[in-house]
Amino acid sequence: MKRIKLAGISVSIILVLTTAAVAEEYWLKDTAQNCEIWSDQPLAENDVITWSGGCINGRTDGLGILTWNNNGVLQTRYDGEMVGGKMNGKGTLVEKAESSSEYDVVTGVFTNGEMNGPIIFKSAENAIFIGQFKNGLMDGRVLLVESDGGSFEGMFVNGAAQGPGKTISADGEVYTGSFQDNERHGRGSLVLADGGRYVGQFAMGAMTGEGRFLDSSGDTYSGSFKNSSPDGPGVFVSVEGDTYQGVFKMGELDGQVLVTLADGTQSVENWKDGEKLE
């Protein structure tokens, strides 16, 4: 059998259903028929495996129920189709969660022990995945909802978020836009939990490129960003209506600044590291 787990990826509120990497292969035998079953881990002390279905050429085959118990406690149960000792076809896989006495449940299609096709997953903590897998990796349109309410809806390719998608964090932060390799990348919009808003370019998860940010107090900045800070030519407008146009470095004004006050008065000032020079 192949163990499953729910693990976070670099876009923090996205949950990714993965299969554990196979370091070794083991052929285990059930106690009832002495029939072989493929696994990515060996039997532990006091483990007992049973299979209720057919056995062809010494390996589990056909419809049946497989159980894996340790000291009488269920660790894994698979109810479905097997071919050549591996999960092949439609089935439901139930596995004991690592962090609790509850169980993760996967229902869908398997090929040679891998999730391959439409899958519905529910974790012991009530996180939910609905979508497509290909050769054990998320591939296609998916919906993931975390137990804390965070969610992702969009496209995955070969196990990574790619293209248009939407994330909502548990605290209410909303991102709608493009992804690349699980990161916000390309054009998108971000609404922060405090009401601040950004529309513009992202690069590998950070606001980078041209964009506009409106903070929760009503101040705005339009211009160049780098690593989620104003960096390069830009314009800052305070909620009172005063405008500062110049070059920003790591979020601070630096150099000559054209200042236009709300009453229309203009002046040119010199700034360094966010401070006006006298």
Side-chain angles (χ1 to χ4, degrees):
M1 301 294 292
K2 194 171 185 67
R3 295 293 183 184
I4 58 172
K5 63 180 179 178
L6 202 65
I9 59 178
S10 52
V11 180
S12 61
I13 67 91
I14 298 179
L15 291 177
V16 179
L17 184 63
T18 64
T19 50
V22 178
E24 296 185 63
E25 292 189 328
Y26 302 89
W27 286 97
L28 313 178
K29 292 186 177 181
D30 85 305
T31 57
Q33 305 180 63
N34 207 34
C35 197
E36 286 189 327
I37 302 146
W38 176 87
S39 175
D40 63 355
Q41 56 190 303
L43 283 175
E45 187 177 357
N46 299 319
D47 276 352
V48 175
I49 296 178
T50 62
W51 166 246
S52 70
C55 188
I56 298 178
N57 296 325
R59 292 181 174 174
T60 55
D61 206 290
L63 285 171
I65 298 174
L66 182 142
T67 61
W68 186 328
N69 292 273
N70 180 269
N71 281 325
V73 178
L74 180 67
Q75 304 298 308
T76 301
R77 174 189 169 104
Y78 174 72
D79 188 344
E81 300 175 76
M82 299 192 81
V83 176
K86 296 183 179 182
M87 297 181 292
N88 274 283
K90 295 179 180 179
T92 297
L93 178 64
V94 177
E95 290 203 333
K96 190 174 182 296
E98 295 179 1
S99 59
S100 74
S101 61
E102 302 301 318
Y103 293 84
D104 300 326
V105 181
V106 177
T107 300
V109 179
F110 298 83
T111 302
N112 290 325
E114 301 278 9
M115 291 176 282
N116 194 42
I119 294 290
I120 298 175
F121 174 89
K122 184 177 181 181
S123 77
E125 294 78 22
N126 291 317
I128 295 173
F129 165 92
I130 301 172
Q132 294 285 325
F133 266 71
K134 184 178 181 181
N135 298 325
L137 295 173
M138 298 167 66
D139 194 290
R141 189 157 192 86
V142 303
L143 169 66
L144 303 108
V145 181
E146 293 189 40
S147 55
D148 63 8
S151 66
F152 170 85
E153 185 174 6
M155 296 296 296
F156 268 69
V157 178
N158 291 326
Q162 307 280 5
K166 180 178 182 179
T167 61
I168 303 175
S169 71
D171 64 4
E173 180 180 290
V174 179
Y175 171 77
T176 305
S178 182
F179 286 84
Q180 180 176 309
D181 297 331
N182 293 332
E183 299 279 8
R184 299 164 180 167
H185 191 88
R187 187 162 183 82
S189 66
L190 179 65
V191 180
L192 302 177
D194 66 2
R197 295 171 179 266
Y198 171 82
V199 177
Q201 295 293 317
F202 289 79
M204 302 315 295
M207 293 179 282
T208 299
E210 293 300 307
R212 182 176 186 272
F213 184 79
L214 168 67
D215 73 16
S216 57
S217 69
D219 296 335
T220 63
Y221 169 81
S222 301
S224 182
F225 284 79
K226 184 179 180 180
N227 295 327
S228 296
S229 291
D231 198 286
V235 179
F236 173 83
V237 182
S238 71
V239 68
E240 295 82 14
D242 299 332
T243 300
Y244 299 79
Q245 182 176 351
V247 175
F248 291 74
K249 291 184 179 179
M250 294 184 290
E252 306 285 2
L253 278 166
D254 196 286
Q256 282 196 337
V257 178
L258 174 62
V259 180
T260 304
L261 300 181
D263 63 7
T265 303
Q266 285 192 327
S267 62
V268 176
E269 302 174 348
N270 291 311
W271 288 62
K272 180 69 175 177
D273 297 330
E275 298 287 341
K276 177 183 174 182
L277 300 178
E278 297 299 331

